[in-house]
Amino acid sequence: GMLCQFFVLSPRGDTIITRDFRGDSVKGTAEIFFRKVKFWAGDAPPVFNVEGTNFMFVKKSGLFFVCTTVSNISPVFAIELLGKMTKVFKDYCGVLNEESIRKNFVLIYELLDEIMDFGYPQTTGTENLKACIVNEAITVDGPKLGLSLPKMNPRTVPSNAVHRPVGPAVGGSKKQKNEIFVDILERLTVLLNSAGYVLNSSIDGSIQMKSYLSGSPELKLALNEDISIGGSGGSYGAVVLDDCNFHECVDLTEFDDFKILSFYPPDGEFAVMNYRVTSDFRVPFRVFPVIEEVGTGLRLSL
């Protein structure tokens, strides 16, 4: 696949990063793109065509990461490439937001020049790029969630601890700690009836890791031995996963018998395992709607 341009736009439509790989696109594509997306009826699709130019984009942290091409390339390829590029930017900047992109624009351009050559992708591996990158990251504070959770375990750290660049940072310590962060992220989708009872529910989960270990040690991650995959029941109290997939670095030799994942962690953030659960589970909350008549209208409260 061949791309003509890549640019990053702020939520207001300002061009933060722009790179023209081939010089064969019309002028003002960033303005054309933003105008089209802004005035689209509803949400704009991730791929659309304007007068012979194909626009493909992903939106992360309010920013638009966009590529254009006049060739008939696979849209899935372009969206996947944009996703990988945003991951690389996040790995090297620590945080992916407007401030970090603006402060690290020299580093972003350096990464872009290594990732793309004349519109053709070369590599999107955080580890492979390390040997080519000389600029240091300027660290930016991550988003504040405004949620203070009790510290029950001294080994548990705030989620913003992973907002650290994988490479050297300006003013940072040259000697980094040997650390690895493991996060389990789950998205619950629950359909409740008017009485608050669950009609349909599912969990989409992911075990995310970010490694700051020196060298390349082999790691083993032991999961619950009662995990059953494929919805085939299992013993009483078993954790039943409908399906799952693993990162390419994971060795599954011991998984069937002992539920152990072995791997050499690559640099940067990566999903060790993704899984989906649709069997019954206890939802952490219920929603009870209350409708009241107020004058000539209705008031709905949850």
Side-chain angles (χ1 to χ4, degrees):
M2 176 183 67
L3 304 182
C4 297
Q5 293 170 308
F6 170 82
F7 45 88
V8 181
L9 301 184
S10 75
R12 301 170 304 283
D14 305 327
T15 304
I16 306 172
I17 300 289
T18 180
R19 176 68 88 218
D20 191 332
F21 300 116
R22 306 180 63 83
D24 56 0
S25 292
V26 296
K27 294 201 182 317
T29 45
E31 291 79 7
I32 293 168
F33 165 82
F34 189 71
R35 203 177 311 120
K36 199 78 177 168
V37 168
K38 190 174 181 183
F39 295 108
W40 202 285
D43 290 333
V47 180
F48 57 87
N49 181 288
V50 179
E51 296 178 1
T53 300
N54 299 310
F55 291 87
M56 288 145 284
F57 78 97
V58 296
K59 195 174 181 183
K60 305 262 186 186
S61 306
L63 302 170
F64 296 95
F65 295 83
V66 191
C67 63
T68 70
T69 179
V70 293
S71 307
N72 186 20
I73 68 169
S74 164
V76 177
F77 156 77
I79 297 296
E80 177 71 11
L81 177 61
L82 288 172
K84 298 261 189 185
M85 289 168 82
T86 58
K87 178 192 171 299
V88 168
F89 297 158
K90 184 175 185 293
D91 284 342
Y92 277 89
C93 296
V95 181
L96 191 68
N97 59 26
E98 185 176 349
E99 186 187 1
S100 70
I101 297 285
R102 287 189 184 279
K103 285 190 173 177
N104 290 289
F105 75 96
V106 176
L107 175 61
I108 298 290
Y109 276 117
E110 188 181 22
L111 287 165
L112 257 182
D113 289 341
E114 297 299 338
I115 292 171
M116 303 292 294
D117 184 22
F118 199 57
Y120 292 96
Q122 303 302 303
T123 180
T124 55
T126 300
E127 207 161 345
N128 300 338
L129 289 163
K130 255 190 169 176
C132 317
I133 303 303
V134 296
N135 280 287
E136 296 184 345
I138 298 170
T139 53
V140 169
D141 290 335
K144 304 246 183 329
L145 297 177
L147 189 64
S148 180
L149 297 175
K151 271 193 115 176
M152 300 177 186
N153 187 331
R155 294 191 180 187
T156 303
V157 295
S159 58
N160 62 0
V162 299
H163 296 154
R164 209 168 73 214
V166 293
V170 174
S173 170
K174 295 298 176 192
K175 189 182 178 191
Q176 289 198 348
K177 291 185 193 171
N178 264 330
E179 293 178 317
I180 187 157
F181 297 96
V182 183
D183 283 317
I184 298 177
L185 309 176
E186 292 188 332
R187 186 180 67 198
L188 276 64
T189 305
V190 181
L191 178 65
L192 305 164
N193 66 9
S194 58
Y197 290 103
V198 176
L199 298 177
N200 192 11
S201 59
S202 66
I203 298 174
D204 290 293
S206 177
I207 301 176
Q208 299 268 358
M209 270 197 180
K210 193 164 187 179
S211 172
Y212 295 100
L213 300 175
S214 58
S216 297
E218 184 183 17
L219 301 182
K220 289 182 184 287
L221 182 65
L223 304 177
N224 189 329
E225 289 190 9
D226 292 329
I227 285 179
S228 171
I229 295 170
S232 55
S235 60
Y236 176 74
V239 180
V240 180
L241 307 182
D242 287 78
D243 54 68
C244 60
N245 58 59
F246 303 92
H247 190 271
E248 59 201 29
C249 70
V250 176
D251 180 359
L252 298 172
T253 309
E254 298 178 273
F255 183 71
D256 287 338
D257 294 329
F258 306 107
K259 299 297 183 283
I260 291 175
L261 307 177
S262 304
F263 54 94
Y264 294 90
D267 283 334
E269 203 169 334
F270 68 103
V272 182
M273 174 184 179
N274 297 304
Y275 57 90
R276 182 173 170 80
V277 178
T278 56
S279 56
D280 291 338
F281 59 89
R282 189 171 177 178
V283 294
F285 57 84
R286 284 192 178 181
V287 178
F288 296 97
V290 179
I291 298 176
E292 302 171 272
E293 285 192 35
V294 181
T296 56
L298 296 173
R299 183 170 67 190
L300 173 66
S301 55
L302 299 175

